[in-house]
Amino acid sequence: ALPIAASIVVPQLNFITNNIFLGHLSKEALAIAGITGVYYLIFAVIGSGLNNGLQSLIARRAGENKMSDIGNLFNQGVFIALVLSLVGILITWLVIPTILRFSLHDEKNIQMSIDFLHIRIFGLPFLYLYQMRNALLVGINKSKFLIIGTAVEALSNLLFDYLFIFGKFGFPKMGFNGAAVASIISELLGLIVIFAVLHWKGINKQFELFKKFKYDAATTKLILVQSSPLIAQYCISIISWEFFYILIEHHGNTDLAVSNAMRNIFGFFGCFTWAFASTSNAMVSNVIGQGLQHRVIELIYKIMKLNIAFALIVGIILNSFPTLFLSVYGQGPEFITTAIPVLRVVSAALIIMSASVVWLNAVTGTGNTKINLYIEMMAITLYCCYVYIVLEFLQLSIVYGWLSEWLYWLSMLIPSYFYMKSGRWKSKKI
């Protein structure tokens, strides 16, 4: 799980790095980074849904010792990813400006968001190809190589953020939009490095990656059937989060800036939780491929205990030093005072999430991804109703708004747990 965590943390490190620099630029920039960051995350999780479906298939073929199928699965995944990235770029340029003008209240916030996203979205092809590489390396149990690309991307984003946002060492001073340019460059560099590693380690040759890169309708259909419920699930989830941030924007830039900081903290520490979730997906699928269905529940409990232990440690650290974590954004005392109660709610949500994602991704590993989608739709319905009533209708503080995370993750945990315990997944073939 640790190398997987390192790879998942890359987009979150980019978000956090961007937001720390933008916090020192202005409160408005930090506030708007919440809306633009979550919007880009919508497309990032579409890639994650494709990645997880593909990963499950690769792990199943590895468990069945069908190594010849893995290269073709990867190649078709790359083809699908490039098509999805083109769709994402077109939507961002043609549709999103109208939606933002309709949903946001502040004209300056609207224009800053549009200008940023028109640049940032061009990093999508690089991110998707990066995620396909994740699916391959995790699926074939070579996750240790993920760390190399991760390190390159994180360090280059830190450097280029500083150069482009503030215009240092002769680089243009781009302010808010500089964060978008820096992220694109770092995604490209990370992608180049990790594919060089695949070539250097002979993985390209072993699985014939790109050697027979032609369209395979049957394999493409298999990937889409496996991944589309996950793509829909993740997309619905993050769209609801964007809805949450739009409602927060109606409360003013201070609350929006605080919520953006919470997203960074939730996202960063949640990466380690999601790493165990990804491990649950791959290992459950692999164990089923070996014909060891009777060991699956035992495996899930082992992963869940590790995940909860990590989340408890994170919760203790966050609640012991809240001011330390919040001061990096360069905001005043009002920001920190508003943020501390929210931080305590978020840290508790991380613990609930640590159990929920393991059981949910175990469902993914069984191959019955439609169940994931049904669970997500139920949870999102409850979530959206709650945040609208609390934030828009009752106009309560954002502390109560963030309690929605408790409701959401409990709504995911309970049905996932009972589905896996029921054993109905044992007859599923992929």
Side-chain angles (χ1 to χ4, degrees), residues 113-128:
S113 299
I114 292 171
D115 292 343
F116 181 92
L117 290 173
H118 278 175
I119 300 170
R120 183 69 185 97
I121 199 64
F122 284 104
L124 203 57
F126 309 134
L127 176 64
Y128 280 178

Side-chain angles (χ1 to χ4, degrees), residues 18-72:
N18 291 349
N19 288 325
I20 289 172
F21 283 120
L22 293 173
H24 289 273
L25 186 68
S26 69
K27 180 179 287 186
E28 288 76 16
L30 179 61
I32 295 306
I35 291 173
T36 56
V38 173
Y39 174 80
Y40 190 72
L41 195 59
I42 293 171
F43 288 100
V45 298
I46 289 173
S48 294
L50 176 61
N51 166 63
N52 282 0
L54 183 63
Q55 176 184 302
S56 181
L57 287 167
I58 290 173
R60 183 65 59 90
R61 298 297 176 261
E64 295 168 344
N65 202 29
K66 296 179 179 178
M67 299 302 176
S68 59
D69 293 347
I70 291 175
N72 189 42

Side-chain angles (χ1 to χ4, degrees), residues 70-92:
I70 291 175
N72 189 42
L73 282 168
F74 178 79
N75 291 344
Q76 300 309 310
V78 168
F79 176 78
I80 297 168
L82 291 174
V83 173
L84 287 176
S85 65
L86 176 61
V87 172
I89 291 169
L90 291 175
I91 289 173
T92 302

Side-chain angles (χ1 to χ4, degrees), residues 403-418:
L403 280 171
S404 58
E405 292 297 321
W406 295 13
L407 173 65
Y408 175 76
W409 289 113
L410 285 171
S411 300
M412 300 282 267
L413 171 60
I414 295 168
S416 299
Y417 172 82
F418 282 110

Side-chain angles (χ1 to χ4, degrees), residues 108 154-155 261 291 303 355 392 398 416:
K108 184 179 179 182
L155 291 173
I303 298 171
E392 194 76 1
I398 58 171
S416 299

Side-chain angles (χ1 to χ4, degrees), residues 283-349:
M283 292 187 73
V284 165
S285 187
N286 188 284
V287 165
I288 293 173
Q290 295 180 52
L292 301 174
Q293 286 89 340
H294 62 286
R295 304 291 303 274
V296 166
I297 299 299
E298 174 191 351
L299 170 66
I300 296 169
Y301 275 120
K302 285 181 180 291
I303 298 171
M304 184 186 71
K305 288 174 183 177
L306 288 169
N307 208 8
I308 290 175
F310 179 83
L312 284 169
I313 293 169
V314 168
I316 292 169
I317 294 171
L318 285 174
N319 282 279
S320 299
F321 309 101
T323 303
L324 177 65
F325 287 100
L326 296 168
S327 62
V328 298
Y329 293 97
Q331 304 298 305
E334 179 192 2
F335 174 87
I336 294 175
T337 301
T338 305
I340 287 176
V342 185
L343 181 65
R344 304 206 189 284
V345 170
V346 166
S347 61

Side-chain angles (χ1 to χ4, degrees), residues 158-175:
L158 181 66
L159 171 64
F160 289 112
D161 261 347
Y162 180 70
L163 296 177
F164 283 109
I165 291 174
F166 300 110
K168 301 295 183 179
F169 301 106
F171 283 80
K173 184 178 180 180
M174 301 181 68

